[in-house]
């Protein structure tokens, strides 16, 4: 089951961890809104509270007080496949012979069914259909006859796919990042302890300092007294497969992921977009909020050079950057739209044009991505209905042509507008005057020195793991995951 989620783990010197975990989850709310949970350990006993809904609704003051202990993990979840049901809410917790285990997972295993079958065959009973329980059971089995580090290594050898995990084994808190570093995970230092979190924004929220990213294939074990952490590089592959879409869409702009500030990455992608496909217009306008950083970079570059790349003459002010769509922040996912007519009305409820920047203007509308094409289609028609003279669409990522199997809720291939249409056909469908996407080369250029260190499966169809029915060759010669993982314990 694919899960786009947020994970956190905290170990403090005596102070209860529940409230910092709660604040950390608040900072990661954008990574999942379906359920929220915290598992703590007080040195004797594990405590757990997991509930459906947003972080603010999932915990009462009393719940946080009952979560005793200065060590714990937390999770926000947005399920992207399978049923929406509380049995998959996390952290997953289990008690067994050698102690208690809590597990928070962001990512997607590609061999979960196989591992589940094997474990079920030796008597493990499963209560959910999620990947996380599979990892927890495998780890619990390995902990019966191996120390913590060896047990984690064995589990990493067995599971394939993307995973950023925070784990509690009694009051020991750990973080593990999959060998290709597909999903983000970082370490932060707090005043009286350490934190592991999907994104550094959670560390900032707690007034902590980002120490560094957890390395691909690394296990980080936080000291129980909050004094530090140990690192174990359990798997070491030549290439990584960092998800580029984290930088483009998913992560908060104020987070630092794999050493890059997401906001600046998006601005740089916007600058590239101008260099590759800039078009003169009266106004550069972001789709709120997803297009904002891209549009700011695009407009900056547009004020320096002409679409052909020449310096702008002194008396040419270039393009104006302006907001033209006002968002109603209170229209959430729960908005009920039973008929197509009402679904179309939804866009008017969510976004209203600002007349002064739209009427009679030629507009370049900037967004981070087009998935199904619904948003761009509705926005172009909204701007036209509001008097826009021209609407040019520029997108800060390449066309999404294939599904994500690595943990981002995208869409099925049938739903992806770019899966079987050319850019010109898409332009026609969304009724824009022109449409251009950013190239994969530009994304790789901004994000990494080496294209082979990125997972761009959704825009290239080349995945870092074998996926049944998909072409997975990546344009590099690299060790297979099985070969690299068969190294000695
Ligand atoms: P669509 O209307 O399906 O083309 O979706 C495009 C819009 O959804 C853009 O404004 C994106 O910022 C946003 N978006 C992109 N990827 C996702 C995702 N995985 N989940 C939810 N929204 C997304």
């Amino acid at each position: 089951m694919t899960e786009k989620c947020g994970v956190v783990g905290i170990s403090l010197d005596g102070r209860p961890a529940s409230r910092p975990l709660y604040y950390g989850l608040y900072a990661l709310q954008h990574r999942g809104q379906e359920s929220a949970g915290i598992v703590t350990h007080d040195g004797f006993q594990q405590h757990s509270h997991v509930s459906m809904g947003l972080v603010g609704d999932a915990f009462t003051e009393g719940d946080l007080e009952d979560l005793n202990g200065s060590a714990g993990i937390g999770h926000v979840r947005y399920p992207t496949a399978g049923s929406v049901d509380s049995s998959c809410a996390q952290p997953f917790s289990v008690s067994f012979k050698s102690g208690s285990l809590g597990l928070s997972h962001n990512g997607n295993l590609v061999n979960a069914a196989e591992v589940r079958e094997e474990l079920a065959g030796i008597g493990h009973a499963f209560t959910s259909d999620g990947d996380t329980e599979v990892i927890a059971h495998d780890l619990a089995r390995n902990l019966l006859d191996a120390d913590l580090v060896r047990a984690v290594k064995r589990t990493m050898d067995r599971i394939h796919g993307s995973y950023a995990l925070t784990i509690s084994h009694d009051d020991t808190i750990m973080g593990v990042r999959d060998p290709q570093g597909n999903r983000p995970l970082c370490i932060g230092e707090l005043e009286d302890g350490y934190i592991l979190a999907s994104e550094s924004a959670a560390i900032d929220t707690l007034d902590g300092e980002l120490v560094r990213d957890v390395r691909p294939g690394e296990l980080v074990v936080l000291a129980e007294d909050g004094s530090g952490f140990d690192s174990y590089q359990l798997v070491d592959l030549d290439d990584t497969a960092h998800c580029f879409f984290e930088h483009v869409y998913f992560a908060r702009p104020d987070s630092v992921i794999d050493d890059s500030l997401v906001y600046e990455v998006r601005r740089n992608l916007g600058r590239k977009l101008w260099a590759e496909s800039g078009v003169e217009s009266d106004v550069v306008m972001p789709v709120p909020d997803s297009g904002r950083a891209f549009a700011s970079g695009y407009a900056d570059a547009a004020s320096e050079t002409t679409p052909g790349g020449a310096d702008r003459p002194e008396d040419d002010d270039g393009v104006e950057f302006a907001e033209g769509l006002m968002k109603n922040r209170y229209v959430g996912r729960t908005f009920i739209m039973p008929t197509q007519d009402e679904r179309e009305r939804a866009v008017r409820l969510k976004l209203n044009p600002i007349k002064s920047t739209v009427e009679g203007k030629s507009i370049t509308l900037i967004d981070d991505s087009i998935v199904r094409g619904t948003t761009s289609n509705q926005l172009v028609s909204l701007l036209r209905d509001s008097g826009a003279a021209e609407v040019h669409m520029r997108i800060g990522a390449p066309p999404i042509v294939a599904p994500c199997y690595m943990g981002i809720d995208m869409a099925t291939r049938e739903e992806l507008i770019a899966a079987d249409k050319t850019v010109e056909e898409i332009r026609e469908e969304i009724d824009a005057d022109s449409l251009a996407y950013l190239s994969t080369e530009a994304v790789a250029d901004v994000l990494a020195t080496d294209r082979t260190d990125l997972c761009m499966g959704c825009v290239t169809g080349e995945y870092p793991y074998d996926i049944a029915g998909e072409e997975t060759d990546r344009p590099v010669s690299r060790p297979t995951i099985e070969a690299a993982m068969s190294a000695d314990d």
Side-chain angles (χ1 to χ4, degrees):
M1 181 181 296
T2 306
E3 301 184 26
K4 68 167 194 178
C5 300
V7 301
V8 62
I10 289 179
S11 191
L12 301 174
D13 181 16
R15 179 167 63 110
S18 64
R19 203 160 282 278
L21 285 164
Y22 175 68
Y23 296 143
L25 291 182
Y26 247 113
L28 301 176
Q29 183 77 83
H30 62 291
R31 298 185 69 87
Q33 302 85 42
E34 198 66 52
S35 68
I38 292 177
V39 165
T40 58
H41 199 283
D42 60 15
F44 301 99
Q45 201 184 339
Q46 181 166 266
H47 307 273
S48 167
H49 180 85
V50 176
S51 177
M52 301 304 280
L54 297 170
V55 177
D57 301 324
F59 302 91
T60 63
E61 187 63 43
D63 295 331
L64 292 177
E65 269 165 29
D66 290 345
L67 289 161
N68 290 323
S70 57
I73 60 170
H75 190 266
V76 284
R77 173 169 192 265
Y78 185 97
T80 60
S83 54
V84 176
D85 99 49
S86 57
S87 70
C88 282
Q90 297 186 31
F92 183 81
S93 54
V94 61
S95 290
F96 61 105
K97 213 166 131 193
S98 79
S100 56
L101 207 56
L103 212 121
S104 294
H105 174 209
N106 169 213
N108 183 47
L109 299 190
V110 295
N111 68 339
E114 188 188 311
V115 181
R116 171 190 296 268
E117 207 172 298
E118 179 190 305
L119 289 167
I122 56 166
H124 288 252
F126 288 88
T127 58
S128 75
D129 61 356
D131 291 359
T132 312
E133 193 179 357
V134 173
I135 304 174
H137 276 270
D138 194 70
L139 189 55
R141 173 180 67 165
N142 290 330
L143 279 166
L144 293 177
D145 58 8
D147 63 26
L148 203 53
V149 176
R150 266 167 204 282
V152 172
K153 166 79 167 103
R154 282 187 200 168
T155 294
M156 288 174 83
D157 286 351
R158 188 69 189 98
I159 58 175
H160 296 176
S162 64
Y163 52 90
L165 305 170
T166 52
I167 305 171
S168 59
H169 179 231
D170 295 336
D171 54 355
T172 302
I173 305 300
M174 295 168 276
V176 182
R177 199 168 174 201
D178 70 71
Q180 297 187 311
N182 186 257
R183 305 254 68 89
L185 190 65
C186 59
I187 314 166
E189 184 174 359
L190 305 176
E191 201 186 348
D192 54 351
Y194 279 81
I195 174 173
L196 294 153
S198 294
E199 291 183 35
S200 63
I203 302 170
D204 299 337
T205 304
L206 297 171
D207 288 330
E209 286 288 325
L210 172 65
V211 176
R212 62 172 173 82
D213 295 292
V214 174
R215 297 184 188 105
E218 183 185 22
L219 162 69
V220 170
V221 184
L222 303 188
E224 279 133 38
D225 61 359
S227 62
F229 62 87
D230 289 321
S231 155
Y232 304 88
Q233 189 64 48
L234 297 184
V235 186
D236 205 355
L237 298 185
D238 285 348
D239 294 309
T240 56
H242 298 308
C243 167
F244 89 100
F245 210 61
E246 284 279 351
H247 297 267
V248 166
Y249 162 75
F250 202 29
R252 281 172 55 147
D254 52 334
S255 284
V256 174
I257 291 188
D258 294 319
D259 286 332
S260 309
L261 180 61
V262 174
Y263 183 71
E264 288 307 329
V265 165
R266 287 182 192 164
R267 273 174 52 83
N268 287 335
L269 293 170
R271 294 186 72 88
K272 289 263 184 200
L273 194 55
W274 171 261
E276 285 190 343
S277 61
V279 55
E280 294 286 22
S281 63
D282 299 325
V283 182
V284 173
M285 185 179 292
V287 173
D289 298 307
S290 48
R292 199 162 275 137
F294 297 86
S296 142
Y298 180 96
D300 258 10
S303 67
E304 292 162 13
T305 61
T306 66
D311 286 347
R312 284 217 183 257
E314 295 261 315
D315 58 346
D316 180 353
D317 291 340
V319 189
E320 184 193 356
F321 174 87
E323 299 281 345
L325 294 162
M326 198 37 62
K327 189 172 177 179
N328 180 341
R329 293 180 195 288
Y330 303 98
V331 182
R333 278 173 16 90
T334 47
F335 179 62
I336 299 161
M337 302 170 290
T339 66
Q340 182 59 25
D341 183 46
E342 285 182 64
R343 270 193 286 277
E344 275 159 24
R345 180 161 302 283
V347 71
R348 294 309 310 269
L349 252 177
K350 277 189 197 157
L351 292 162
N352 198 34
I354 298 171
K355 290 212 165 55
S356 64
T357 54
V358 174
E359 243 168 23
K361 305 279 169 105
S362 69
I363 295 168
T364 305
L365 184 64
I366 311 240
D367 205 355
D368 61 341
S369 56
I370 297 180
V371 182
R372 296 173 175 83
T374 324
T375 308
S376 357
N377 189 297
Q378 290 177 333
L379 292 183
V380 172
S381 96
L382 181 61
L383 291 174
R384 286 200 194 285
D385 290 349
S386 310
E390 290 171 18
V391 184
H392 302 275
M393 196 87 218
R394 293 293 177 272
I395 302 297
I400 295 172
V401 297
C404 176
Y405 298 94
M406 313 306 294
I408 297 260
D409 168 25
M410 201 73 89
T412 62
R413 181 171 262 112
E414 294 69 40
E415 292 166 327
L416 294 170
I417 192 169
D420 59 358
K421 286 191 176 62
T422 63
V423 174
E424 174 54 19
E425 286 168 340
I426 299 168
R427 183 203 64 74
E428 219 170 282
E429 190 155 322
I430 66 171
D431 192 31
D433 290 283
S434 73
L435 167 68
Y437 291 85
L438 198 62
S439 67
T440 48
E441 293 72 27
V443 173
D445 207 32
V446 169
L447 276 179
T449 45
D450 201 340
R451 156 80 181 77
T452 57
D453 283 331
L454 294 173
C455 175
M456 298 181 85
C458 60
V459 298
T460 61
E462 295 154 356
Y463 301 96
Y465 293 94
D466 286 341
I467 312 280
E470 294 283 355
E471 174 57 58
T472 61
D473 284 350
R474 297 217 298 163
V476 290
S477 74
R478 54 203 303 283
T480 65
I481 195 88
E482 286 78 10
M485 284 182 153
S486 65
D488 285 341
D489 271 12

